[in-house]
Amino acid sequence: KRKRIYGPKQNGQKENLGPIPYDGGAGGSGALALCLSSRRNMCIHERVLRESDREGIDAACRSMTAPWALERAKTDQTVETCQYFDGFQAAGEATSMPSGVYDLEELKKWGKGKNWCPYYLTRQAINHATVLVFNYQYMLDPKVAKMVSKELESESIIVFDEAHNIDSVCIEALSVTVNDRNLDQATRSLGRLSSEVSRLKASDSERLQREYQNLVNGLVDQGLLEASANEAGFASNVLSPDVINEAVPGNIRRAEHFISFMKKIVEHLKTRLRTVAGPRGGVISETPLAFLHRMITTTSLEAKPLKFAYSRLSSLLRTLQVPNLDDYNALTDVADFASLVATYSEGLPKFAIIMEPNGSSIPGASDPVIQLACLDASLAIAPLFKRFGSVIITSGTLSPIDLYPKLLQFEPCVSESFNMSTFRPCIRPLVITRGSDQLPVSTKFDDRGDMGVVRNYGSMLVELCSSIPDGVVAFFTSYSYMESIISEWDGMGILRQLTKSKLVFIETKDVVETTLALDNFRRACDSGRGAVFLSVARGKVSEGINFDRHYGRAVIMFGVPFQYTLSHILRARLEYLQTNYQIREQDFLNFDALRQASQCVGRVIRSKIDYGLMIFADSRYNRHDKRTKLPKWILQFLGDGQLNLSTDTAIAQVKHFLRVMAQPVDQNKLKQVLLSLEEVEAMNPPTQMIEAP
Amino acid sequence: MSSERRSYSGILHRKTKGSLELSESGFNFRPDRSGGAGAGDEKNVAAIELIPWNRTIKHQVSPASHSKSLLKILVAPAATAAANSGGDNSAFTFVFPSRSDLENARKEITSRLKNVKVSNTNNNNNSSASNKKKRPRTEQQQYGKSTPPSSSYITHDPMALIATRSSLLASDPALRAQHRLLVIDNGTLSEQDFWETHHRLVADEYAKISGRKDAGMSSDIKSSLDLGVSISGAARKKKKSAGSSGGTSSDKNDGGDNDKNDKKSKSTVSSGGVVHLGVEEIRQIFLMYPAVHRAYEEKVPLELSEEQFWRKYLESEYFHRDRGRIGAHIGRVNEREQMEKERFGKKKRSDDDEKQKKKKDGDKEGNNAVMGDDEANTRLAAAGTDDLFSRYERGLTGSNMLGTTDSSSNIGGTSSSSTQSKKKLDSINIAVGQFDLASTAETERGGRFLSGVDLHPPPEQGSQGSRIIDKYNRHWAIVLHPKESTAGVDLSVVAAKSVVEGCSDGNSTVEEDAKVNGGIDREMRRLIGFADADEGNADFARCTGDDAVEEGSGNGYAELHLSNIDAYRGKFGGTLDDSASKNDAEKNLKYAQFLAKDMRANTDSLLKSSTTGKSKGFCNAPVLKQALPEEKIGRPLLEALTKKMAADSQTDADVQQLADSLPEDFRNKLATFFRRSTELLRHFFTLRSVFSEDSDGNGGFGRSESQKAKLSNIVQEMEKEYGKMVELTKTLTLMESKMFRPIMDQLDWAFKLHREDDSKTRGGFVAVSGFVPVET
C-alpha cells in the first residue's frame, strides 16, 4: 500500500482541502485521507479555544494532556484534564477511523461525536492513512519532521504542491536569527530553568537522576522515540544522518552544568552583538568555522557539547515538565543556533553567519542581529530524497523548471510543464511598458524616483480601475516602495481620483488589520461597489489568497519584484550559488522575481470558467530574459500584440477582453475541456498528479 | 433635550456643598441639609432661589487645562429687582467635582437656553431673525450628532428650508417652471402646499446639502480638503518640493514659515480659495484623523471657537503633513538605499584595492548624507512638536487605533506576554473563509510569513507613507460602515464587527462564496449541467442546464429585478417560510389569497363557458382536450401568435420613430402640457386623499373652507389647461391632436371625480358646518 503525502500551500491552509484525489489504486474505497494541523486549528475543547493565539492554545492543551498532568490528575481531582483527550486515551488501541476523506471540519465533527481529540487522533492515524495532507514544515523542518514523518514508509509518494518556494522553505528551516531581545529573554529563561531545577531537586530529585541516567546511556534520541505521541514535539534540529550517535558528553549531563553552559553561550553571543553594534562594528560575515573557533577560544567551551545543545535542552524541558514551551522559544533558538554552527562547521561552508548592526529599520535605534543563514536549499530536502522513493514537486509557477533540480540537487526522473486546458482565452496577460505619454515605466532603481514614472503608474491604475469592474488587485515590489508611491500618489491627488471608481484597500504590516481589509474588500466586491487592493509581492496576500471571480478581474504587477539585492544574506547566497552550482547571480534573481510575479498574477484565475487580466507594468518585462521565465500557461496567451503596450492601448485591449469574456459560455466548447465520468474512470489509476494551474 | 429636571450633587457654591438643579423653567442651588445643618444663616447666603432661564445672559466654564471645573452663570437682574437697583448683572460660580459633570451641565444649560431663546423669538417675531443667520451652521455642527434625521430636522430650521427650496428650484428647471406657474403667477397653490407634495425632494436635497444621505456613502474622500486652486497655492507647492529635494535644511525651514504665513493670509483674506467645511467634511475629518477629533472635543468651544479651531487645523503642520509634498518621500527612500548601496559598493572595492583613500572619501560622504537626512528628520519632528494635533496624535498612539498596532513582532517572534495584551482583537474567526490570514500566520511558525521573504528592509515606523495608508484604510471602514462610524470610534472594531455579523448572519450562499474555492463547485456543477443539457433546455443567457431550468420553474429561483432588490444582496426569496417574521407571513398569506381569488375570478367564467358547452352539468373539471387547441389549428395559431409578438416588439421602435418624426415645437408643447397637467393632477389627488383621510370621524368629506378653496383652485387651473389644450388641438392635425387625448382623458377623469365628490358632499348625510359648495 502506497501512501501519498501532500504538502499543501502555506496560506489559507485551513480550508484548503478542496478536492483531494483518491488513491483508488490499492484498496478502492478503503482509502483514508487525513490532514494534519496545529492544535489551534484542530482543538475542540471549548475552554482551550477561548485562547486567542496559537501559543495560548498550545500551552492550555499541554497543561491538560501532558503525561505529567495526567499523572497528577490521577491523584488530585482538581487537576483538569481534557475530556476529549481522556476519551481518546481510554479508547486506546481501539481508535480507528473509517475510510473516507476528512478535512479539518470533518475531523472536528467526527472527534466531537466520538469524544476523541482530533489532534491526537490524527497523530495516531498517520500510520493508517492512505493520503495525508499537511504543511511543508512537517516534512522539511527537522524539528517537527521527526514526529510526523518518521513512521512513513519509504514507498510513500511525497507530493510538494505549490512548491515554487520550496528552496526558500528549506533554507528557512535551517536558519536562525538571534537579536538582543531574544538573548535577554534567553537569559531570563535560563534563570527560570535553574530555579526550576533547584526546586525539583528539593522535591523530586529522582526525576533528574533518571534523566541523568538516560543521558549517560546515550538515550536522548532513543528516549524521544519511546515517548508517547503527545509529548513529542522536540527533536534535534540537526539532521538525523548528521547526528553523531553518541552519548551526550559528560559535562552537560547534569542540569545545573548544562544551564551554566548555556549561560556562557548566551553571554558570548551578547558580547558579539555588542561589538557589532559598537563604534568599531559594522556588518560582519563569517563562516561557521571561524565563528565557532572564536566562540571556543573566548568561552573555553568545547565544540562537541555544542552539538548537543538543542537535544539536551529539549530533554531538560521535558524533564522539568514545562507546559508552555513557547516561553522558551528564545532559548531554544539559541541552542538551535549553537547546534547548527557546531555541526556544520566543517567542510565547505554551507552556512553564513552574518552580523548586522542594524537589523531593524527604525532610524537611530540600533538593533543588532546575528543571523545564521543556510545557503544551500538542498541540505534540508536531501534526507527526503534519500528516504522516499518518489518525490513530486509541483506548482503552477515552477518556471523555469530546470533551475529547481540545480537548487535542490537532485536528478528529476520526469520533468514536464503543461499548458492550461481551457476552452477560451480566459486570461489576458498584458505587458505595459510605457505610460500614456510614451515614457517608459519601470521600478528600476534609477527610474523609480522619477516623477514621470510615479505619475504614469498612478494614471495607469486610475484608468484601469475605471474600466475594469469589481475587484482589482495591485502588487508592488516591496513594502517601502508601496508606501512611498502611495504617499506620492496621495500628494498628486491620484488616490482621490481612484476612490471615485473603487474603494481603496491597502495591505499593512499588521496581519489582523490586513485580514480585516481583505474581508471588507470582499464585501465591497460583493456589494457591487468595486474595490482595489494594494499589496506587496511576497507579502501576506501574494500567496494563498485567491482573488478569483469578481474578487479579482485584474491583477496589476507594478515593477519586477526582485529581492532586496543589498541584503547581506542574499549576497551570501548568490555567491554560494555562483561558486558551487554555477548559477549566475542575474539568473537567480530573474528566476526568483519572475516566479514571484507569476505567483502574484496567478491569484486572478482559479477555475476553468474564471477569467482575468494579468498586467505586467514594467518596461523590463518586455525583455526576452524576463518574459520567457513566465510559466507556460501564461505564455501561451501572451501574443506579440500584448507586448510593449502603452497605457492607452492597453486600456483598449482591456475593454475588449472584458466584453468578450462576459458573454455566456459556449456549451460545446466547455464540454471539450471537461472530462466525462467515463473518461475519469478510464484514467484510473492516474499516472501523474500535476495540478493544472 | 430632556425636559425633566436634573440635579448635580456635590457642587460647591460659596464654599457650601450642595446640589445644582436644572429644570424646565430655570436653575436653583440647594445646600446639602446634612452639611450645613448647623449654620442656618449661611444657608441663606449660599442657596439660590429658582432663577428663570430668560434671565440668564450667558454661562461660562473653565478651560480643560484649569485645575478646577468651574461653571459661571451670568444672570440679569430680575425685572422687579432691576427697577430697584440700577440693573447690575450678578454672577454665580459653581465648582463641579468632575469634568464630565461639568460638561453635561454645560451642554444641558446650552440646550435649555436655546429652547428659551427660540420660544422667545417665536413669540416676538415670527420671521426668523436676520442676526441668526450665522448661527445655524455652527450649532448644527456642534450638536449635529444628536439631531434626528434630516427630513424632520429641516422643519425646525427655516433658513435651511429656504436654502434647500431655492437650491432645488435652481437645479431643476422643470420644477422651477411649475413653481412659477402654480405659485407665483397664478397663485393656484400656496407656497407651502406646493412643497408639501415635493417634501421627499426637499428632504433629499437637504440631505445632499448637509451631507447627510440616508443610504450609501460616496467613496469620495471629503477630508482631503482642497485649499482652492489658486495660483499662489500651486506655486507654493512647487516651491516646497524644490526646497525639500534640494535637501538643504535651512531652506526647508524657511519654506515652512512661508507656508504658514501664506496660508493664513489665504484663509483670512478671501483672495485665494475659500475652504468650505460641511457637516460631512467635518465628520470625515474626525473619523480619518482621530487626533483632530480628540482635540476638538477638548478645545471647542471652551478654549477655541469653532472657527478658530478649524483655522488652526488648516494652518497646522499636521494638516499638510500627509498631503503629499511631491517628490519628497520617494526621494528619501531612494537616498537611503543609495547610501546603503554606496556603502556596500565601497566595502567591496575597499577589499580589492585602493583601500585607504576611497574609504575616507566615502565615509565622509556617507556621514554627510546621514547628517542631512537626520537633520531633516529632526527638523520635521521639531516642526510637528509644537503642533496641537500631533501632540494629540502622540497621545493616541498608545491606544489601539486602526493602524497603530504593530504586531509583526509579537506573533512571529518570541515576546508573547508584553505586547500581546495591547492588541486583544480576538484573532480567531476574524474573517470568513479564504481571507483568514491571522489564522495562517499563527498556525505555523509565522516569522517568514509575516516579515516577507524579499529581504527588503521594512519601512520606518510612523512614516508619512504609513500614515497615508492608515488614512485610506480608515476610509474604507467609513464607507463600508457608514452607520457605525461616528467620530471617536475605533474603526478596527467597526470593521471587525461586520465580519462577526457576517458569520452570524447565516447567509450560507454568501459565506460559501467567500471560502477558498467556494462557489466554484457550485458554478462548475452549473456549467457542467449547461454543457450536458440538450439544446432545448440549455439556458444560454444564464449558462444553466436542465437542473437549473427545472429549479427555475419551481420556487427556488428568483429572478433579479428591481422589485426584489434584496436578491442583489444574496437574500433570495426561497427561504421565506422559515425566517420570515410573522408579519411577513401574514402578508404573504393575504397576497396568496388575493391571487387565488383573482385567478378564480378569471378562470371561473372560462370554466363555466367550457362546461356549459359540451359536458353540461357533468362535472366541473375542465376537459384537457378542450384546453389545448386542436392540432389543425395549432400551427396557424402559433404562427399568428408569432406574428403578433413580432408586431408587439416592433411597436417600441415604431413609437420612437413616430416621436422622432414629430416637429420639435409640437413635442415641446406636448411635454409642457403633460408636465403641467400631471403636476396639477398630483396635487389634486393628494389633496383629495388628505381630505378623505380627514373625514373618517363623521363620514363624508371633512373639508374645511380653505381646503375646499384650494381644491377648487386646482380644479380651476386644470380646467384652464384643459381649455388651452382644446384650443390647441383644434389647430392641429388629427394625429397630433390625438396625442393630447390621453392627457385630456386624465383630466376628464379628475373632473369627474371632483364632480362626484361634490355631489356626494352636497347630498351627503353629514355636512360640515359652513360648507359651501362651489360649482365647477
Side-chain angles (χ1 to χ4, degrees):
Chain A
K1 197 160 130 190
R2 306 230 287 185
K3 267 184 197 170
R4 197 161 281 165
I5 295 110
Y6 283 84
K9 48 185 141 175
Q10 198 182 14
N11 299 359
Q13 155 230 30
K14 204 167 123 191
E15 250 83 23
N16 199 22
L17 268 176
I20 301 170
Y22 275 96
D23 187 359
S29 64
L32 172 65
L34 278 182
C35 67
L36 305 183
S37 185
S38 67
R39 288 182 176 89
R40 184 182 189 270
N41 288 338
M42 302 193 86
C43 187
I44 50 175
H45 193 274
E46 292 81 12
R47 194 181 61 77
V48 174
L49 270 179
R50 247 176 276 146
E51 301 282 338
S52 66
D53 55 345
R54 178 181 65 86
E55 283 146 23
I57 287 175
D58 280 359
C61 178
R62 275 200 207 102
S63 70
M64 289 197 293
T65 60
W68 56 82
L70 296 177
E71 279 296 314
R72 224 172 297 147
K74 271 182 202 157
T75 53
D76 186 356
Q77 289 301 315
T78 57
V79 174
E80 193 190 356
T81 57
C82 173
Q83 49 160 327
Y84 300 106
F85 183 72
D86 293 345
F88 169 73
Q89 289 286 76
E93 288 301 308
T95 53
S96 70
M97 296 183 76
S99 60
V101 181
Y102 296 86
D103 66 0
L104 284 176
E105 290 308 312
E106 206 59 43
L107 273 172
K108 279 190 200 172
K109 225 185 284 164
W110 202 75
K112 238 183 191 150
K114 285 273 189 182
N115 213 23
W116 290 346
C117 174
Y119 178 77
Y120 290 112
L121 182 65
T122 50
R123 292 285 177 283
Q124 186 168 328
I126 289 175
N127 300 328
H128 315 295
T130 344
V131 179
L132 284 172
V133 181
F134 50 75
N135 199 296
Y136 282 178
Q137 264 149 358
Y138 291 174
M139 213 71 204
L140 291 175
D141 194 337
K143 288 194 277 289
V144 208
K146 268 211 176 138
M147 74 172 187
V148 176
S149 52
K150 61 170 195 261
E151 294 181 28
L152 300 176
E153 305 96 338
S154 61
E155 302 88 64
S156 304
I157 303 170
I158 315 285
V159 179
F160 287 101
D161 194 7
E162 299 286 337
H164 46 272
N165 270 337
I166 193 165
D167 56 320
S168 311
V169 179
C170 289
I171 281 173
E172 170 73 15
L174 291 181
S175 297
V176 188
T177 301
V178 178
N179 64 8
D180 244 348
R181 212 154 9 98
N182 289 7
L183 288 177
D184 283 345
Q185 214 166 356
T187 316
R188 248 174 288 137
S189 303
L190 279 173
R192 221 174 320 149
L193 274 187
S194 74
S195 64
E196 277 287 301
V197 167
S198 49
R199 194 183 53 78
L200 191 61
K201 229 185 207 165
S203 63
D204 191 5
S205 61
E206 196 196 328
R207 201 161 2 127
L208 280 176
Q209 193 55 38
R210 223 181 306 132
E211 187 201 18
Y212 179 77
Q213 276 309 323
N214 277 346
L215 294 172
V216 169
N217 299 335
L219 288 178
V220 180
D221 282 326
Q222 287 90 328
L224 265 178
L225 290 178
E226 279 161 14
S228 57
N230 54 322
E231 68 171 286
F234 268 110
S236 167
N237 196 8
V238 180
L239 301 161
S240 23
D242 300 313
V243 170
I244 309 141
N245 239 344
E246 274 182 74
V248 171
N251 53 359
I252 56 168
R253 275 183 214 155
R254 287 219 173 273
E256 310 91 310
H257 294 170
F258 175 66
I259 286 170
S260 65
F261 171 83
M262 283 305 291
K263 268 183 188 155
K264 271 185 190 168
I265 299 176
V266 172
E267 281 311 311
H268 174 71
L269 290 178
K270 271 187 185 171
T271 46
R272 287 306 300 267
L273 268 186
R274 240 173 276 136
T275 46
V276 165
R280 299 181 60 213
V283 181
I284 304 168
S285 176
E286 276 179 11
T287 61
L289 187 61
F291 189 86
L292 187 68
H293 179 73
R294 187 136 170 206
M295 191 189 238
I296 288 169
T297 47
T298 47
T299 56
S300 65
L301 294 172
E302 288 171 53
K304 198 175 154 200
L306 280 174
K307 289 181 191 168
F308 291 89
Y310 192 87
S311 32
R312 180 66 189 90
L313 178 64
S314 48
S315 158
L316 180 64
L317 288 177
R318 211 170 43 251
T319 313
L320 294 179
Q321 305 179 346
V322 175
N324 194 357
L325 291 174
D326 287 296
D327 284 350
Y328 296 90
N329 259 347
L331 188 60
T332 49
D333 274 351
V334 172
D336 197 8
F337 185 93
S339 302
L340 281 172
V341 167
T343 314
Y344 290 105
S345 58
E346 283 117 39
L348 192 69
K350 292 185 171 174
F351 283 79
I353 290 161
I354 290 159
M355 287 169 271
E356 279 184 275
N358 223 340
S360 90
S361 61
I362 306 157
S366 84
D367 182 16
V369 285
I370 300 181
Q371 290 155 298
L372 176 71
C374 173
L375 303 176
D376 194 342
S378 66
L379 218 50
I381 206 169
L384 290 183
F385 287 136
K386 228 175 258 172
R387 199 171 137 208
F388 296 104
S390 348
V391 178
I392 298 169
I393 293 175
T394 162
S395 170
T397 48
L398 284 183
S399 81
I401 207 164
D402 52 328
L403 205 57
Y404 284 89
K406 268 191 190 173
L407 283 175
L408 300 177
Q409 293 293 300
F410 67 97
E411 287 287 329
C413 297
V414 184
S415 153
E416 198 60 62
S417 170
F418 294 95
N419 272 343
M420 181 156 63
S421 67
T422 175
F423 60 99
R424 57 174 182 174
C426 58
I427 56 177
R428 171 73 59 100
L430 297 172
V431 176
I432 302 183
T433 56
R434 288 160 292 138
S436 292
D437 54 3
Q438 304 305 321
L439 283 175
V441 287
S442 174
T443 57
K444 223 184 319 182
F445 180 75
D446 308 320
D447 296 351
R448 175 194 308 186
D450 184 30
M451 273 307 111
V453 172
V454 172
R455 195 183 47 247
N456 267 331
Y457 271 144
S459 56
M460 191 189 297
L461 183 62
V462 170
E463 279 177 51
L464 285 170
C465 280
S466 51
S467 43
I468 297 169
D470 297 328
V472 174
V473 191
F475 287 101
F476 296 86
T477 51
S478 73
Y479 199 86
S480 51
Y481 179 64
M482 178 171 84
E483 262 198 7
S484 63
I485 202 168
I486 279 177
S487 57
E488 293 298 338
W489 282 351
D490 190 49
M492 293 172 171
I494 283 169
L495 283 182
R496 237 184 302 163
Q497 249 170 293
L498 194 59
T499 53
K500 294 211 172 96
S501 47
K502 301 247 181 281
L503 268 185
V504 182
F505 294 79
I506 306 170
E507 176 180 344
T508 65
K509 284 171 279 178
D510 188 299
V511 201
V512 175
E513 235 177 272
T514 309
T515 310
L516 283 180
L518 278 169
D519 197 81
N520 282 282
F521 170 83
R522 182 166 67 76
R523 254 153 244 277
C525 290
D526 283 341
S527 68
R529 184 152 207 144
V532 56
F533 202 96
L534 308 180
S535 62
V536 182
R538 298 170 200 277
K540 300 174 265 297
V541 180
S542 64
E543 281 182 53
I545 302 282
N546 293 342
F547 293 96
D548 52 346
R549 290 163 292 157
H550 62 289
Y551 297 132
R553 282 294 174 225
V555 174
I556 308 167
M557 184 75 232
F558 288 113
V560 186
F562 284 117
Q563 288 195 29
Y564 186 60
T565 47
L566 300 178
S567 150
H568 299 280
I569 294 178
L570 182 64
R571 285 274 151 203
R573 188 163 178 224
L574 287 176
E575 228 163 86
Y576 181 81
L577 289 175
Q578 170 93 54
T579 50
N580 294 322
Y581 298 146
Q582 288 77 48
I583 298 172
R584 282 196 305 138
E585 213 172 84
Q586 200 52 45
D587 280 347
F588 180 77
L589 288 175
N590 278 346
F591 148 77
D592 184 68
L594 264 294
R595 72 171 163 187
Q596 200 53 50
S598 38
Q599 192 60 33
C600 290
V601 294
R603 304 293 95 215
V604 81
I605 186 155
R606 292 285 108 181
S607 77
K608 296 238 184 290
I609 41 178
D610 202 2
Y611 61 93
L613 289 149
M614 300 174 168
I615 294 162
F616 299 92
D618 192 305
S619 57
R620 287 173 288 176
Y621 282 115
N622 210 36
R623 284 196 215 145
H624 189 260
D625 65 326
K626 304 271 189 312
R627 192 169 14 112
T628 49
K629 288 201 169 64
L630 287 172
K632 212 170 162 188
W633 59 273
I634 295 181
L635 281 179
Q636 85 187 84
F637 296 110
L638 185 64
D640 283 341
Q642 288 137 29
L643 294 174
N644 204 9
L645 300 171
S646 65
T647 305
D648 41 349
T649 48
I651 293 286
Q653 286 218 25
V654 164
K655 284 181 175 161
H656 175 253
F657 172 76
L658 289 172
R659 200 158 45 233
V660 169
M661 279 298 127
Q663 303 308 316
V665 178
D666 187 319
Q667 199 181 355
N668 291 323
K669 281 187 186 167
L670 176 64
K671 223 184 252 181
Q672 284 165 17
V673 292
L674 299 176
L675 294 175
S676 66
L677 188 61
E678 297 79 46
E679 281 170 307
V680 173
E681 277 165 357
M683 280 168 73
N684 193 24
T687 46
Q688 251 159 352
M689 301 300 302
I690 293 172
E691 190 196 51
Chain B
M1 274 149 229
S2 57
S3 56
E4 81 278 2
R5 49 180 57 229
R6 171 90 53 85
S7 77
Y8 297 88
S9 55
I11 287 160
L12 280 172
H13 174 59
R14 296 200 181 173
K15 294 179 183 166
T16 317
K17 212 167 212 172
S19 56
L20 178 70
E21 244 174 57
L22 309 172
S23 65
E24 182 94 42
S25 47
F27 69 92
N28 59 350
F29 181 78
R30 261 194 223 124
D32 285 345
R33 308 235 163 250
S34 54
D41 217 33
E42 278 174 41
K43 221 194 307 183
N44 291 338
V45 177
I48 301 170
E49 297 288 303
L50 184 81
I51 294 177
W53 290 119
N54 53 20
R55 268 181 62 206
T56 53
I57 298 166
K58 63 176 176 182
H59 62 295
Q60 297 171 318
V61 268
S62 58
S65 49
H66 198 276
S67 57
K68 281 180 186 167
S69 311
L70 302 171
L71 171 73
K72 188 171 165 188
I73 303 180
L74 232 64
V75 178
T80 50
N84 296 339
S85 64
D88 278 346
N89 291 347
S90 50
F92 301 98
T93 309
F94 304 97
V95 185
F96 276 69
S98 73
R99 193 85 210 165
S100 58
D101 272 357
L102 177 68
E103 277 298 295
N104 289 340
R106 177 179 68 81
K107 278 181 188 152
E108 204 168 325
I109 292 172
T110 316
S111 70
R112 283 178 202 279
L113 278 179
K114 207 168 71 178
N115 277 354
V116 171
K117 286 220 173 103
V118 166
S119 63
N120 273 351
T121 47
N122 280 357
N123 289 340
N124 295 342
N125 48 341
N126 259 331
S127 67
S128 63
S130 61
N131 62 351
K132 276 191 78 184
K133 200 173 178 182
K134 197 78 189 159
R135 291 240 344 143
R137 185 135 224 169
T138 51
E139 262 169 27
Q140 182 185 315
Q141 285 158 2
Q142 213 166 320
Y143 307 103
K145 281 166 239 156
S146 58
T147 44
S150 49
S151 49
S152 58
Y153 179 72
I154 196 167
T155 52
H156 299 306
D157 189 353
M159 280 311 294
L161 191 64
I162 291 167
T164 315
R165 285 176 182 176
S166 56
S167 90
L168 246 183
L169 286 180
S171 63
D172 189 346
L175 196 70
R176 191 168 58 225
Q178 275 171 14
H179 183 252
R180 190 182 303 133
L181 179 80
L182 295 176
V183 183
I184 300 172
D185 293 353
N186 295 354
T188 316
L189 290 171
S190 73
E191 180 88 24
Q192 205 168 355
D193 286 337
F194 179 78
W195 289 113
E196 198 67 34
T197 54
H198 291 288
H199 70 95
R200 198 58 242 171
L201 268 182
V202 175
D204 284 351
E205 181 72 12
Y206 178 74
K208 219 195 286 174
I209 290 175
S210 58
R212 253 187 244 226
K213 276 182 206 157
D214 287 347
M217 258 206 49
S218 139
S219 38
D220 246 6
I221 295 193
K222 293 261 170 51
S223 66
S224 294
L225 297 172
D226 223 354
L227 289 183
V229 250
S230 62
I231 305 152
S232 70
R236 178 187 52 76
K237 245 179 193 170
K238 256 181 208 160
K239 186 174 151 198
K240 184 91 200 171
S241 72
S244 57
S245 59
T248 48
S249 46
S250 63
D251 202 31
K252 191 159 197 169
N253 204 16
D254 288 347
D257 280 348
N258 282 349
D259 232 20
K260 273 194 176 169
N261 298 335
D262 210 13
K263 236 156 293 135
K264 204 174 265 173
S265 68
K266 212 189 304 162
S267 45
T268 47
V269 183
S270 57
S271 64
V274 178
V275 180
H276 293 285
L277 278 175
V279 176
E280 181 58 24
E281 278 87 0
I282 289 174
R283 191 176 85 97
Q284 282 214 8
I285 289 172
F286 283 163
L287 280 166
M288 305 261 264
Y289 308 102
V292 179
H293 177 247
R294 180 72 68 86
Y296 182 89
E297 285 277 280
E298 291 191 8
K299 300 274 176 185
V300 178
L302 305 181
E303 288 178 33
L304 299 166
S305 76
E306 188 94 9
E307 204 190 327
Q308 276 172 324
F309 177 84
W310 289 114
R311 176 166 301 177
K312 223 181 174 80
Y313 171 67
L314 293 176
E315 285 167 10
S316 68
E317 190 74 25
Y318 185 85
F319 174 67
H320 294 280
R321 193 182 57 178
D322 298 350
R323 274 146 252 256
R325 300 186 185 100
I326 297 171
H329 192 85
I330 220 159
R332 190 131 35 94
V333 171
N334 272 0
E335 238 168 61
R336 216 175 68 190
E337 235 161 77
Q338 184 75 49
M339 231 163 63
E340 193 107 336
K341 206 170 197 175
E342 269 172 22
R343 221 189 274 160
F344 202 85
K346 225 152 285 142
K347 195 132 208 189
K348 257 188 155 178
R349 252 180 287 147
S350 67
D351 284 347
D352 297 345
D353 50 356
E354 299 184 59
K355 275 184 192 170
Q356 295 300 326
K357 204 176 179 186
K358 275 212 169 168
K359 198 168 189 178
K360 227 179 204 172
D361 284 357
D363 275 350
K364 219 184 222 170
E365 256 177 52
N367 278 344
N368 275 348
V370 172
M371 281 286 277
D373 205 21
D374 282 354
E375 218 169 285
N377 269 344
T378 47
R379 257 164 220 277
L380 216 75
T385 315
D386 55 354
D387 194 48
L388 165 76
F389 303 101
S390 33
R391 235 176 299 142
Y392 274 103
E393 196 190 18
R394 247 169 287 138
L396 275 176
T397 14
S399 60
N400 55 344
M401 270 339 220
L402 190 69
T404 48
T405 51
D406 176 35
S407 64
S408 57
S409 60
N410 54 22
I411 291 180
T414 45
S415 61
S416 55
S417 53
S418 58
T419 38
Q420 200 86 9
S421 57
K422 197 170 80 176
K423 171 199 72 115
K424 207 61 198 177
L425 236 165
D426 188 6
S427 50
I428 287 185
N429 288 335
I430 202 161
V432 195
Q434 59 169 313
F435 293 147
D436 194 354
L437 285 171
S439 129
T440 326
E442 291 212 331
T443 304
E444 312 304 338
R445 272 168 50 121
R448 186 178 150 263
F449 172 70
L450 286 170
S451 58
V453 281
D454 59 352
L455 301 172
H456 277 276
E460 42 193 295
Q461 216 115 50
S463 64
Q464 188 191 8
S466 69
R467 279 198 302 267
I468 287 170
I469 288 173
D470 287 346
K471 185 172 88 178
Y472 279 92
N473 279 339
R474 284 197 202 104
H475 179 244
W476 60 250
I478 298 170
V479 174
L480 285 180
H481 313 282
K483 293 255 166 61
E484 290 92 340
S485 49
T486 48
V489 296
D490 185 348
L491 285 172
S492 64
V493 173
V494 170
K497 213 177 96 196
S498 80
V499 178
V500 178
E501 272 170 8
C503 288
S504 60
D505 207 19
N507 208 332
S508 59
T509 53
V510 174
E511 297 317 328
E512 181 63 35
D513 248 18
K515 285 185 179 151
V516 181
N517 296 337
I520 285 183
D521 273 359
R522 193 152 36 91
E523 207 169 335
M524 207 62 193
R525 221 176 296 129
R526 192 169 64 91
L527 277 167
I528 291 168
F530 169 70
D532 281 345
D534 59 55
E535 294 206 13
N537 285 338
D539 184 341
F540 285 92
R542 294 196 200 93
C543 283
T544 47
D546 304 288
D547 303 348
V549 172
E550 273 163 34
E551 263 176 42
S553 59
N555 290 331
Y557 192 83
E559 188 118 10
L560 280 182
H561 45 76
L562 281 176
S563 66
N564 68 348
I565 200 155
D566 276 354
Y568 283 113
R569 280 172 243 135
K571 290 176 189 163
F572 290 97
T575 55
L576 275 173
D577 42 2
D578 284 346
S579 55
S581 64
K582 215 176 182 181
N583 210 0
D584 280 2
E586 261 175 28
K587 256 188 213 161
N588 285 339
L589 190 67
K590 264 186 190 164
Y591 186 57
Q593 280 169 348
F594 167 75
L595 274 184
K597 207 169 146 196
D598 196 45
M599 210 136 72
R600 210 174 300 134
N602 281 337
T603 50
D604 267 356
S605 57
L606 274 174
L607 279 177
K608 236 173 236 168
S609 69
S610 71
T611 44
T612 45
K614 292 199 171 169
S615 51
K616 192 183 277 176
F618 204 65
C619 80
N620 271 346
V623 183
L624 276 175
K625 241 181 199 169
Q626 265 74 40
L628 295 167
E630 282 173 38
E631 275 172 51
K632 241 185 270 171
I633 55 165
R635 197 179 159 78
L637 189 68
L638 217 63
E639 270 171 5
L641 271 174
T642 324
K643 233 178 247 173
K644 173 84 172 75
M645 274 155 74
D648 280 352
S649 68
Q650 249 186 351
T651 45
D652 278 350
D654 286 348
V655 166
Q656 190 56 43
Q657 211 179 352
L658 187 69
D660 287 343
S661 69
L662 290 171
E664 184 74 16
D665 183 39
F666 172 76
R667 267 194 286 172
N668 280 345
K669 244 179 231 162
L670 192 64
T672 350
F673 276 113
F674 175 69
R675 266 207 301 274
R676 280 186 195 170
S677 61
T678 43
E679 176 70 21
L680 283 167
L681 280 171
R682 192 160 61 180
H683 284 284
F684 174 77
F685 282 112
T686 37
L687 267 180
R688 220 177 138 260
S689 66
V690 168
F691 297 163
S692 56
E693 271 169 25
D694 286 349
S695 66
D696 52 1
N698 305 330
F701 283 84
R703 302 178 191 178
S704 68
E705 197 65 28
S706 64
Q707 283 172 337
K708 180 72 203 167
K710 266 182 204 166
L711 200 60
S712 65
N713 259 346
I714 293 171
V715 174
Q716 271 170 16
E717 189 63 30
M718 278 178 356
E719 278 176 347
K720 224 189 273 173
E721 291 296 316
Y722 192 85
K724 273 187 207 163
M725 268 189 274
V726 171
E727 289 286 301
L728 196 67
T729 46
K730 275 176 192 162
T731 63
L732 291 170
T733 61
L734 181 67
M735 214 223 350
E736 284 174 346
S737 66
K738 248 189 189 169
M739 287 182 187
F740 278 100
R741 212 51 243 174
I743 303 175
M744 290 159 81
D745 283 348
Q746 275 194 320
L747 289 175
D748 273 341
W749 168 248
F751 295 147
K752 191 178 152 223
L753 279 178
H754 185 64
R755 271 197 299 277
E756 273 173 15
D757 287 351
D758 272 352
S759 61
K760 208 187 276 172
T761 40
R762 205 181 304 148
F765 303 107
V766 183
V768 179
S769 60
F771 167 74
V772 181
V774 177
E775 280 303 325
T776 53

